[in-house]
Amino acid sequence: MTTFSEIRRELAILENYKQLAMITQLFPLLFLLMTPSTDHDVNPISDFIDKDIEYLSEFYKQRHINAEISLEEKETSKALAAEMRKVGYEVTEGVGGYGIVAVMKNGDGPQILYRTDMDALPMQEKSGVDYASQLTTMWNGEKVGTMHSCGHDMHMTTWLGTARALASMKDQWSGTLMFIGQPAEEIGAGARMMLDAGLYERFGVPDYGLGLHCNASLPIGQVATVSGYIMANTEMIDIKIKGVGAHGASPHQSIDPIVVASMIIMEIQTIVSRNIKPIDDAVVTVGAIKGGTKHNIIPDEVTLQLTVRTYKEEVRLMIHKRLREISRGIAIASGLPKDLMPEVIIPENFTPSNYNDPALTANFMTSAAKAIGADNAIYTEPTMGGEDFAWYGKTEHDVPTMMYWLGTVPPEKLEKGENPGLHSPFYYPAVEESIRTGVQVSTQAMLDLMK
Ligand SMILES: [Zn+2]
Ligand SMILES: [Zn+2]
């Protein structure tokens, strides 16, 4: 027999069940309302890349196949100009050799320079990819292959991808885009050529300058940079050492320039170790010794070819001073007369150090973290390599600039040590992944600067 209170208890339990059932039904809805939507829903950049990736990959392969070396970038720059016109940029060609400038104005706001270089290197590709370079060129009187072994084809592709993405999102930024295609980076001449052709006078002084470079030891999906100096002053210096030639069997009748050269080489090793402040960075490398013809002739001239790398101007000038003093001092000690003193030939043209503006770099890192996750946007060490991008920040206008490294190597290749460096005939970036990260990060960085 069921009592009244038992019935009431049963009814209460039933009521609880009903409430629970209602909550359970509502729960998925509540869950949806409380959870932020996924990146994919709110990220127009990755949506754009999804649609564009095939187009950009094909563009990349075309550039790779048709690799044109420094000062020969005729078809490359034509292709870039045509692509930029297609998406609404106003393009000027022939700005410093084959340099191009593509401008898009979209209301008030900052003007941002975004640079790609365009040139390849004279070398035979051995990467084995089915889109390997098919061009040849004449180099020192010989026919050689050409190759985008520094990844400038990937620079052009991410540059185009960023330009296309921003052109499709004009409602989300305001300002002026100044995309430049630079020739002749590999010979350290192109940036100067474009600036000397009136880049800033004709197209306006940008508020910021951005650029990237492929990295052969950074995994795909990552970018890296440095706040402050990221790449070094790069100088090519020759030392011409004179001597008095003689028969190899009569050294007493000579002042042997090979011995003088040897002493100079050993002595200049003390510049970095004894003359430069221990906390400053510098490299003095003798890369070539040229002198003599035959076993039994003491020649009358030897040339040394050096590369000198520094960050600071005072360190650079200190090295010049010591190279002159050491060469002259050793020549005098060897008994060479005044008219046979060594000549230290320091060209005025050199590639200056790249200084990443700290404030711009901090902004960039925030944007990069937003685009690809904080774990994938990392600070790294500077290198003693050189890049003529530096010139865009070294005019009298003091434009704040920054460069970043783009990861191009699949992690499994890195683990096995199968990652040939830049300028290797075996180097090639992972195509789609590198394009995605480059476009994602550059577009986000530029959007954030032009909000
Ligand atoms: Zn290079
Ligand atoms: Zn390069």
Side-chain angles (χ1 to χ4, degrees):
M1 206 181 111
T2 309
T3 61
F4 183 62
S5 64
E6 278 176 321
I7 291 170
R8 272 219 338 227
R9 212 170 51 232
E10 297 260 17
L11 279 172
I13 290 167
L14 199 65
E15 201 55 40
N16 282 343
Y17 267 119
K18 266 161 78 184
Q19 277 174 8
L20 192 68
M22 252 171 72
I23 291 169
T24 319
Q25 270 174 3
L26 275 173
F27 193 72
L29 191 62
L30 281 172
F31 186 78
L32 270 177
L33 287 170
M34 285 160 62
T35 312
S37 44
T38 61
D39 264 5
H40 192 78
D41 293 329
V42 292
N43 197 328
I45 307 175
S46 46
D47 281 354
F48 180 83
I49 299 172
D50 286 343
K51 285 185 218 121
D52 225 30
I53 191 70
E54 220 172 291
Y55 186 85
L56 293 172
S57 301
E58 186 49 36
F59 175 82
Y60 168 80
K61 286 174 184 168
Q62 282 307 312
R63 300 280 61 77
H64 195 86
I65 290 172
N66 299 296
E68 293 175 307
I69 68 161
S70 313
L71 304 176
E72 295 181 7
E73 309 91 341
K74 190 177 171 191
E75 299 306 322
T76 305
S77 70
K78 252 197 225 169
L80 285 184
E83 289 291 337
M84 295 299 269
R85 285 194 182 105
K86 229 190 265 178
V87 283
Y89 286 78
E90 197 177 301
V91 181
T92 309
E93 293 174 74
V95 183
Y98 291 119
I100 69 160
V101 180
V103 175
M104 184 174 280
K105 288 195 167 92
N106 187 30
D108 294 338
Q111 175 161 336
I112 304 183
L113 176 149
Y114 187 82
R115 172 268 212 171
T116 181
D117 35 18
M118 303 188 287
D119 51 335
L121 287 151
M123 59 192 288
Q124 189 58 51
E125 176 159 1
K126 295 176 184 165
S127 68
V129 296
D130 58 8
Y131 48 89
S133 172
Q134 291 166 4
L135 292 191
T136 57
T137 188
M138 292 305 286
W139 188 256
N140 290 335
E142 276 176 48
K143 195 170 149 184
V144 290
T146 65
M147 180 186 176
H148 268 300
S149 55
C150 204
H152 297 187
D153 47 356
M154 183 54 71
H155 304 174
M156 288 186 268
T157 309
T158 49
W159 177 90
L160 176 64
T162 303
R164 288 170 62 88
L166 289 168
S168 78
M169 299 173 196
K170 280 176 91 171
D171 55 331
Q172 291 180 47
W173 56 273
S174 119
T176 301
L177 300 175
M178 182 184 185
F179 277 79
I180 66 168
Q182 181 206 300
E185 191 283 326
E186 291 293 353
I187 57 169
R192 275 255 57 100
M193 284 162 64
M194 291 193 77
L195 287 163
D196 292 347
L199 180 67
Y200 290 174
E201 291 76 14
R202 290 165 65 189
F203 302 94
V205 180
D207 296 288
Y208 308 104
L210 295 175
L212 64 79
H213 204 295
C214 287
N215 190 302
S217 47
L218 193 68
I220 46 174
Q222 288 194 357
V223 299
T225 195
V226 180
S227 186
Y229 289 112
I230 179 168
M231 275 183 266
N233 289 312
T234 302
E235 292 181 285
M236 305 299 170
I237 295 176
D238 287 11
I239 304 180
K240 224 177 235 175
I241 297 153
K242 287 155 201 149
V244 178
H247 193 290
S250 305
H252 60 292
Q253 291 173 348
S254 77
I255 300 177
D256 188 343
I258 288 185
V259 175
V260 176
S262 310
M263 290 194 284
I264 291 175
I265 291 169
M266 291 313 293
E267 195 56 28
I268 61 183
Q269 305 307 312
T270 63
I271 298 177
V272 174
S273 72
R274 303 291 88 180
N275 304 134
I276 306 295
K277 258 205 257 172
I279 50 161
D280 284 336
D281 307 284
V283 174
V284 179
T285 291
V286 179
I289 311 174
K290 296 191 171 167
T293 51
K294 196 171 178 299
H295 307 67
N296 58 356
I297 302 171
I298 294 171
D300 58 6
E301 193 174 296
V302 172
T303 303
L304 305 180
Q305 295 184 333
L306 284 70
T307 188
V308 171
R309 307 291 169 109
T310 50
Y311 289 122
K312 293 182 183 167
E313 184 64 5
E314 65 259 35
V315 177
R316 187 174 85 88
L317 298 177
M318 159 68 89
I319 293 175
H320 294 173
K321 177 172 163 279
R322 289 302 291 148
L323 287 174
R324 290 197 184 97
E325 287 170 352
I326 289 169
S327 303
R328 189 179 161 79
I330 288 174
I332 292 170
S334 305
L336 279 163
K338 263 189 189 153
D339 59 327
L340 293 182
M341 285 298 110
E343 264 179 84
V344 179
I345 304 160
I346 302 171
E348 257 178 54
N349 281 337
F350 70 105
T351 302
S353 53
N354 270 277
Y355 184 77
N356 277 352
D357 179 76
L360 183 59
T361 307
N363 284 342
F364 169 82
M365 287 302 262
T366 307
S367 304
K370 206 194 285 180
I372 55 173
D375 290 350
N376 292 318
I378 54 175
Y379 280 106
T380 186
E381 290 179 331
T383 81
M384 297 309 271
E387 238 288 355
D388 77 350
F389 175 76
W391 281 118
Y392 300 106
K394 300 254 161 153
T395 64
E396 75 269 26
H397 305 290
D398 271 337
V399 176
T401 60
M402 70 110 14
M403 280 204 97
Y404 74 89
W405 293 110
L406 173 66
T408 61
V409 192
E412 58 276 13
K413 270 179 135 186
L414 281 177
E415 271 158 33
K416 285 190 247 162
E418 289 170 2
N419 55 318
L422 299 174
H423 290 206
S424 157
F426 299 100
Y427 171 75
Y428 63 97
V431 179
E432 287 200 6
E433 296 87 338
S434 306
I435 296 174
R436 271 181 193 281
T437 306
V439 175
Q440 184 90 42
V441 168
S442 291
T443 308
Q444 187 69 59
M446 290 173 80
L447 278 179
D448 291 345
L449 287 172
M450 296 190 300
K451 257 188 232 155

